[in-house]
Amino acid sequence: MYAPIRMPGPLFDEIAAGGGSPEAVAFLVRGERTRRLLLLRELLDRLDADPALLGPLDATAVWSALEAAAARAPGPVDDLLLSPQVGSWLAHTLRRLHGTASGPPLWADAGQLAAVAAAAAVHAGTEAELLLPARGAAVSLPALGMVRLPGPDGDDFHAVPAQARGGRITVHGPHGPGVTVRPLDAPESAHWMPVHRLGTGPGLPAVQLDDLDPYRDLDEPIAPHRLGPDELRAWHALFREAVELLRQDGGAGPGGLRPEEVSRIVPWQAKDGDAGLPVPSSGLSASTGDAFASMVIARPQDPVALAETLVHEFQHSKLGALLHLFPLVEDEERAELHYAPWRADPRHLPGLLHGAYAFVGVTGFWRARTHDADTQRRDRAAFLFALRRLQTRMVLRTLATRARLTVAGQRLVTRLTGTVDGWLREPVEPGALTRARACAVSHRVEWRLRNLRCGEDERDRLAEAWRSGAAPVRGGEPLVVPGSRGYWQDDRGALFSVPEPDAGAASTADALLVAGHPEAARSAYAARLRGPGAPDPHAMAGWLLAHTALHPADRRLLARPERLAALLEAVEPARWTRAARWLAA
């Protein structure tokens, strides 16, 4: 009989505030282990009820191999079962059995359990004879690597016999002799590709750099995509410097990270370019609650960006693990209506909660960088700390007022809010603070113009009130613009991040606005808006920002810019300033 898991309040509060001591994170890992075993039990029950799900594979041999390995080496087998490779595979296979995912032949997905058993036998040094699923000439051993069999490669799935003994495994393919390797210490060869590993320090666990495992993506199984030598060297160099940076912060508070607690990095491979992405591919990262401490990352250009991304994604892992222990939102409303400053598109409340938790970590990361010895890095950190604390606090307010939080959810949001409110009281260089506030407003205004619109009735009544000289009508609830998805480049925001823009080089409307020339900027934006076609939301947002810089009393227009956009559809450009002043009044 297993005792229920009860998380001590102080450990919950550490995680809820955005940080987490080694003891708090270890408790989350304990919860993930229990969940993993429950899911494995569900899969085994399904296979026991319907052995045909394994196709040509032998369920009895698989279970016997797992039991023998766990009995001899419980620690290594436990680590294997907790690995991201097993977590992603297990969740995917159960979704397939529930009819909510697709992939290769079902027996090949379910049969990956045999590969888990083979890897367990390798770790334990036990004997096992198994049939393993192969894709072409590739046989995956979770968290160890991939055996390459002789013969032609391909995408066909078939079963191959394998024997494990004394830490070695021999796999026989349909072409040529069997391949024998010792996966725990064999170097890369023509027939064996080990998982790459990134060091975190002497005596500390390494982080996997996984370009092989079929379940390493967030969706369906994918083929291996081995990194080239130059790309691999770049990852090692970046990670080494990122680790040095993270060691400076201690690791326990919000924004800190102990690098050895990251389990795996999956290098992101471009498929369809940037189309439909909520961020540019150069800054892409993602994670899943199925694989704790694992993250998909597009290789950043510098170690600071990598360190920030590791913090960001580990925050998602912590919250995902907490959600496996506690429901945090009573009604998981999935309507995508809400503003997330780090996204181009509207978000639902559960996504907003994940974003807020992640960006508390990001904000703490940049707070630590404000003490950097390098002036340029310190200035950038001050701007990003000021910007992210403002944006994250806005989202926490939305969660507190719009989400139906459970008792645990309220405690989480309250603790996060306390963390950010404390940061908001900390002094920031005045110039960085001013630019951060302007950048936050600029992004929100443009986001609303791209994603929200007034209802038809409100737009018509606004136009009629303008023509008749009456007072503006009250605003209603905005509507989400259908199909408003995909990434848009916040060029103006990038300019705000520069401490001292060159006024002499201010040739674009954005540069004029950021350099403090609102009159010239407004004229430049107006010229862009007079062109043919639908008004450009970026230019419309810029025009409004320049207008409110010239007329500070009209700043209330920034709260609902979609109302001004609706009104200006019925107003000739020469009267836009007058119309804006009328609507603001």
Side-chain angles (χ1 to χ4, degrees):
M1 177 70 70
Y2 288 101
I5 294 179
R6 301 189 185 280
M7 189 173 193
L11 298 187
F12 180 96
D13 288 338
E14 284 183 32
I15 300 296
S21 64
E23 294 76 18
V25 173
F27 192 94
L28 295 181
V29 172
R30 177 186 165 196
E32 289 300 286
R33 177 185 183 276
T34 300
R35 179 176 183 270
R36 191 72 54 84
L37 293 176
L38 289 171
L39 293 177
L40 185 61
R41 178 73 266 169
E42 180 185 350
L43 175 61
L44 293 173
D45 287 344
R46 295 290 293 268
L47 296 177
D48 187 52
D50 186 3
L53 291 171
L54 281 176
L57 308 187
D58 183 354
T60 302
V62 169
W63 183 238
S64 297
L66 267 176
E67 281 190 315
R72 177 178 290 186
V77 173
D78 213 43
D79 291 342
L80 171 65
L81 296 180
L82 265 172
S83 69
Q85 289 87 343
V86 171
S88 293
W89 155 73
L90 184 54
H92 168 78
T93 301
L94 288 173
R95 282 193 287 269
R96 287 213 63 184
L97 293 174
H98 286 282
T100 58
S102 59
L106 182 55
W107 74 265
D109 271 341
Q112 187 70 1
L113 179 62
V116 175
V122 166
H123 280 288
T126 51
E127 295 186 14
E129 292 198 14
L130 299 161
L131 286 174
L132 305 182
R135 181 178 185 171
V139 178
S140 172
L141 296 177
L144 291 173
M146 181 167 288
V147 176
R148 300 288 298 184
L149 298 171
D153 206 351
D155 285 332
D156 60 306
F157 289 85
H158 53 101
V160 295
Q163 298 85 38
R165 176 181 297 174
R168 287 182 167 82
I169 187 167
T170 301
V171 186
H172 302 273
H175 307 282
V179 173
T180 299
V181 296
R182 185 178 175 86
L184 293 177
D185 51 23
E188 184 156 352
S189 67
H191 296 297
W192 172 244
M193 291 190 293
V195 174
H196 299 304
R197 301 192 183 272
L198 304 169
T200 63
L204 294 173
V207 174
Q208 302 173 61
L209 184 66
D210 189 356
D211 53 7
L212 295 174
D213 191 80
Y215 300 92
R216 68 191 185 277
D217 200 22
L218 305 181
D219 196 3
E220 296 183 357
I222 58 174
H225 191 119
R226 201 63 161 164
L227 296 175
D230 291 343
E231 183 72 3
L232 182 59
R233 279 192 292 272
W235 270 107
H236 274 281
L238 277 175
F239 188 79
R240 183 170 55 252
E241 293 187 52
V243 166
E244 293 175 1
L245 195 66
L246 291 168
R247 293 288 182 213
Q248 299 172 9
D249 302 339
L257 172 64
R258 293 170 291 277
E260 64 273 14
E261 290 179 342
V262 176
S263 179
R264 179 180 69 166
I265 295 172
V266 176
W268 183 74
Q269 304 293 339
K271 300 181 184 69
D272 302 310
D274 287 1
L277 295 176
V279 296
S281 60
S282 59
L284 185 142
S285 65
S287 52
T288 170
D290 298 328
F292 182 80
S294 176
M295 49 202 73
V296 179
I297 300 177
R299 179 171 63 83
Q301 295 301 309
D302 62 76
V304 177
L306 178 57
E308 178 195 13
T309 302
L310 294 172
V311 168
H312 178 145
E313 294 303 334
F314 196 73
Q315 289 289 103
H316 282 302
S317 283
K318 288 192 296 180
L319 186 63
L322 198 67
L323 282 162
H324 291 155
L325 298 173
F326 302 93
L328 300 177
V329 182
E330 288 184 356
D331 180 12
E332 291 209 356
E333 173 60 55
R334 292 282 169 172
E336 295 183 323
L337 300 173
H338 304 285
Y339 173 56
W342 35 82
R343 296 275 300 204
D345 51 351
R347 294 294 283 155
H348 47 60
L349 289 169
L352 211 60
L353 180 62
H354 254 288
Y357 192 81
F359 272 86
V360 166
V362 169
T363 306
F365 173 83
W366 287 115
R367 175 175 176 262
R369 307 277 81 70
T370 59
H371 306 296
D372 199 295
D374 182 87
T375 302
Q376 187 175 3
R377 288 201 297 263
R378 188 171 64 247
D379 289 343
R380 181 167 180 261
F383 167 79
L384 288 170
F385 171 54
L387 175 66
R388 293 311 190 190
R389 68 181 184 178
L390 284 171
Q391 293 177 324
T392 306
R393 186 62 179 89
M394 180 189 303
V395 171
L396 289 169
R397 186 180 302 115
T398 300
L399 290 166
T401 57
R402 298 293 185 91
R404 294 180 57 201
L405 300 169
T406 63
V407 172
Q410 291 172 3
R411 187 168 173 175
L412 174 79
V413 170
T414 298
R415 293 284 177 174
L416 291 175
T417 301
T419 295
V420 178
D421 283 350
W423 289 340
L424 284 167
R425 290 190 288 270
E426 294 182 5
V428 173
E429 192 275 321
L433 183 59
T434 299
R435 289 183 287 113
R437 288 171 173 167
C439 184
V441 171
S442 171
H443 186 275
R444 183 179 179 276
V445 168
E446 185 167 345
W447 182 94
R448 291 189 71 95
L449 289 172
R450 289 182 179 275
N451 291 287
L452 304 179
R453 61 176 171 81
C454 295
E456 296 288 336
D457 180 64
E458 182 179 349
R459 186 184 63 183
D460 293 344
R461 290 189 295 118
L462 268 176
E464 179 57 32
W466 163 256
R467 285 191 292 265
S468 66
V473 299
R474 285 184 175 274
E477 281 294 316
L479 306 175
V480 175
V481 176
S484 56
R485 294 294 183 269
Y487 178 74
W488 46 272
Q489 183 74 36
D490 186 14
D491 296 322
R492 194 163 39 239
L495 294 177
F496 279 118
S497 68
V498 180
E500 296 179 1
D502 184 357
S507 57
T508 67
D510 286 342
L512 287 166
L513 179 66
V514 173
H517 306 297
E519 185 73 61
R522 185 172 64 171
S523 297
Y525 286 125
R528 288 176 58 179
L529 291 166
R530 291 191 190 100
D536 174 17
H538 182 81
M540 178 63 72
W543 187 94
L544 179 53
L545 292 166
H547 172 87
T548 53
L550 293 166
H551 303 282
D554 292 356
R555 285 185 61 82
R556 68 182 64 188
L557 294 174
L558 300 173
R560 292 286 308 277
E562 66 275 9
R563 277 171 55 82
L564 178 65
L567 172 63
L568 295 187
E569 291 179 19
V571 179
E572 59 273 22
R575 305 185 72 192
W576 281 0
T577 297
R578 183 178 173 186
R581 306 230 64 194
W582 169 80
L583 184 60

